[in-house]
Amino acid sequence: MLALERPCRRPTAPAVYSFKEKRSEFIAALFPSAAGDEARAALESVRREHHGATHNCPAWRVGYPEVEEFCSDDGEPGGTAGRPILGALQKAGLFNAALVVTRYFGGIKLGVRGLIDAYGAAAAGVIERAAIETVLPFKELELRCGYEHLAALSRAVKSAGIAENRLRTTYAVDVTLSLLVSPAREERLRTLLDSYEGRQLLAAPPRWGKNYVLTAET
């Protein structure tokens, strides 16, 4: 379980890095992946692309705030591939990321230490070259009010510490305020909206998102 107050780092686009070690070619591919099914889809895409490779070894860290971690040696000696790849993700502080290292065997055995170093270097190399962003967790919230209460509700929301760039207003029959609420502000805002004064401003009950969403730092 991640600490909700802490910024997190994630890749924003796929990246690839390759090198050769004693005639074996190692190709590392990093993918943004928010959930296990996305990570598995990324692995399958690599397997299709490199169907003739000796090994396609994956690791991933996905989900928020509960993180699913997985790694596999895909036929390499135990602990020589998946763990070094996962370790590189952990060391870099990355999550919502899937990383697959493909190996084309060159005919020379690397040994246990050599494999650990090679897979770790491939993973670290692609992470170093990837586009990474820092993101913060927010809970989505939708509020509806009549036009006559818009000014008062906007003031109440801002008094709870909601920044202007985390608030969007849509005008229709009623007015809809779409907010991104940080964990630090959530309890205060819930208390305000549950109060008698808060309820009087709303045309419908508040609609809170079930899960946290991640938004780039600004």
Side-chain angles (χ1 to χ4, degrees), residues 27-216:
I27 306 169
L30 179 67
F31 302 88
S33 301
D37 58 347
E38 293 183 22
R40 286 183 283 273
L43 171 58
E44 289 306 312
S45 71
V46 172
R47 284 174 171 166
R48 288 192 298 271
E49 181 179 357
H50 297 289
H51 57 86
T54 318
H55 306 280
N56 289 293
C57 304
W60 58 72
R61 303 181 76 216
V62 299
Y64 188 89
E66 295 183 359
V67 180
E68 173 192 334
E69 292 188 332
F70 173 83
C71 66
S72 169
D73 297 308
D74 192 35
E76 292 282 29
T80 62
R83 287 189 180 278
I85 300 168
L86 180 59
L89 290 172
Q90 293 169 335
K91 183 177 180 181
L94 288 188
F95 74 104
N96 283 4
L99 206 165
V100 185
V101 179
T102 297
R103 181 190 182 192
Y104 286 91
F105 181 54
I108 300 176
K109 292 185 177 181
L110 301 183
V112 169
R113 184 72 258 170
L115 287 172
I116 292 172
D117 291 345
Y119 278 102
V126 74
I127 290 170
E128 182 180 341
R129 290 159 178 78
I132 306 294
E133 69 175 354
T134 300
V135 292
L136 297 167
F138 292 90
K139 186 70 70 69
E140 292 178 310
L141 172 62
E142 184 178 287
L143 303 175
R144 283 177 50 208
C145 71
Y147 282 79
E148 70 276 15
H149 295 311
L150 176 58
L153 183 58
S154 296
R155 285 195 300 271
V157 164
K158 291 175 182 177
S159 74
I162 306 303
E164 191 74 37
N165 65 333
R166 305 299 184 190
L167 170 64
R168 186 178 75 254
T169 306
T170 305
Y171 300 93
V173 176
D174 291 323
V175 183
T176 300
L177 278 65
S178 301
L179 291 71
L180 292 175
V181 183
S182 69
R185 309 293 183 189
E186 185 176 342
E187 183 177 356
R188 180 178 178 183
L189 189 54
R190 285 184 183 273
T191 299
L192 185 153
L193 296 173
D194 288 342
S195 69
Y196 175 79
E197 293 80 3
R199 292 196 302 271
Q200 296 302 108
L201 299 176
L202 299 176
R207 295 180 57 185
W208 289 91
K210 292 183 178 179
N211 302 312
Y212 286 96
V213 298
L214 298 162
T215 302

